[in-house]
Amino acid sequence: MMRCPLCNHSAHIRTSRYLSQQTKESYYQCQNIDCSCTFKTIETVSKILCRPMEEKSEVDKRIRIN
């Protein structure tokens, strides 16, 4: 959800598409019936803060079990 840039009410995504693996274009519509502004946004990944831990090797797993 995003706020309408004109009236500050909530706006919902009507449609979206990926421009690349890390960039999405979305079209929003304001939920305020008196406004109904439609606008476009671009959402992109700017930085990965934490990567998932890598899977331990099978040897490490066996050592833990024994």
Side-chain angles (χ1 to χ4, degrees), residues 23-39:
T23 305
K24 183 171 72 171
E25 177 182 69
S26 299
Y27 290 82
Y28 283 83
Q29 184 173 27
C30 178
Q31 296 300 291
N32 177 357
I33 193 86
D34 295 325
C35 178
S36 297
C37 173
T38 303
F39 58 97

Side-chain angles (χ1 to χ4, degrees), residues 3-25:
R3 298 245 174 236
C4 173
L6 299 180
C7 73
N8 207 33
H9 278 78
S10 64
H12 294 167
I13 294 174
R14 301 327 270 154
T15 189
S16 64
R17 67 183 177 129
Y18 279 90
L19 302 176
S20 71
Q21 262 190 323
Q22 297 182 348
T23 305
K24 183 171 72 171
E25 177 182 69

